[in-house]
Amino acid sequence: MSGNNPAESSPAHRSPLTAHPRHAIGVLGGTFDPIHFGHLRLAEEMAEAIGLGEVRFIPAGQPPHRAAPHAAAPHRLAMVRRAVAGNPYFAVDAREVDSPRPSYTVDTLTALRAELGSKQPLWLLLGADAFLGLTSWHAWRRLFELAHIAVAARPGAQLLQSDSMSDELRREVSQRHVADGSAAGPAGSVLLRQMTPLDISATAIRHTLARQGSVRYLLPDAVLDYIHEHHLYGTA
Ligand code: ATP
């Protein structure tokens, strides 16, 4: 984690996030295989909309829900560190990468809750695709006891009306839905928020790299440099 204190290091051009003290913490998990601008804009736009004082990027070690990532955990962690360097609001948390066990979000949030105390507002940040699969996550209902959930939806997409949302998730959302990020309390609300649509995926980036194509402007240059330095994803 960076250990930066946002209050001391906020540059003037970040004024939307510095207008008043920010208390809430955002958590963005992912395989980040590799991290790209879709992830970074999700964090940035949610930080601004909710008024987060910090977003913690938590790369998954061995994610339980999917096939093993392509790049080894230390590489994915290093790429996330490079991507967030220089943003005083973004921090990296290596706990899942350092753990020998599969990373369950509920365990990570439980640990964060124990460290930060019961009053700390926490926001789990999710893309709509991840949110729609929530009911398959381990102990998913407990997530609402541990954090608020902010979902980045596509403009025009009626997430609540989506056929892809299970009835049990729809019930949770309709009870917990809030209109903005000023939700009271440390956990339990669901915010659906439109973000700038960026049709970027790590899968497409990996495929393009494997055929020696260009992925410039889809992810930070510092991440692309790292990929080439370490010959990741089939790069020459
Ligand atoms: P892959 O293509 O390997 O499945 P990914 O690009 O979807 O990877 P993940 O690490 O699985 O990235 O995603 C982490 C989080 O970021 C998830 O909540 C996901 O919904 C969200 N996310 C990923 N890409 C975007 C994007 N382009 N716009 C908004 N959210 C995104």
Side-chain angles (χ1 to χ4, degrees):
M1 219 168 298
S2 76
N4 281 332
N5 180 348
E8 288 171 4
S9 54
S10 341
H13 69 273
R14 298 299 306 274
S15 55
L17 293 180
T18 57
H20 49 83
R22 308 287 182 169
H23 180 42
I25 293 177
V27 172
L28 179 57
T31 44
F32 302 124
D33 193 19
I35 189 166
H36 54 68
F37 284 135
H39 301 127
L40 292 162
R41 281 303 301 181
L42 171 61
E44 178 76 1
E45 294 192 24
M46 286 299 189
E48 187 173 16
I50 300 169
L52 302 174
E54 178 184 322
V55 178
R56 293 192 189 188
F57 289 71
I58 310 189
Q62 170 52 55
H65 293 104
R66 49 195 289 172
H70 295 254
H75 285 314
R76 293 184 290 106
L77 177 63
M79 290 188 280
V80 173
R81 286 197 201 286
R82 284 207 181 183
V84 308
N87 186 329
Y89 294 95
F90 288 177
V92 182
D93 186 325
R95 74 183 67 218
E96 291 192 3
V97 161
D98 290 342
S99 166
R101 288 177 299 141
S103 347
Y104 289 106
T105 301
V106 70
D107 295 336
T108 301
L109 288 179
T110 301
L112 283 173
R113 178 57 71 206
E115 289 162 25
L116 297 167
S118 58
K119 297 204 170 78
Q120 169 66 52
L122 273 179
W123 284 86
L124 178 63
L125 310 182
L126 295 175
D129 57 322
F131 182 68
L132 288 172
L134 199 74
T135 53
S136 68
W137 293 21
H138 178 54
W140 67 277
R141 286 183 200 278
R142 281 196 45 222
L143 297 173
F144 298 108
E145 295 163 22
L146 294 163
H148 301 296
I149 298 184
V151 186
R154 295 275 164 124
Q158 299 300 312
L159 204 57
L160 268 175
Q161 276 75 52
S162 164
D163 288 343
S164 330
M165 190 184 290
S166 66
D167 289 342
E168 49 185 352
L169 185 57
R170 198 187 313 274
R171 269 195 298 278
E172 290 289 343
V173 174
S174 54
Q175 286 163 19
R176 300 175 179 281
H177 187 238
V178 290
D180 61 40
S182 57
S189 303
V190 174
L191 173 69
L192 307 177
R193 169 104 199 163
Q194 293 184 0
M195 71 170 270
T196 306
L198 291 172
D199 193 6
I200 305 173
S201 75
T203 303
I205 288 174
R206 291 193 304 272
H207 287 163
T208 305
L209 285 168
R211 59 170 174 79
Q212 314 304 318
S214 169
V215 296
R216 203 169 173 204
Y217 309 127
L218 297 176
L219 72 185
D221 285 345
V223 175
L224 188 53
D225 291 346
Y226 187 95
I227 289 170
H228 286 297
E229 281 162 29
H230 295 271
H231 310 297
L232 301 180
Y233 309 118
T235 51

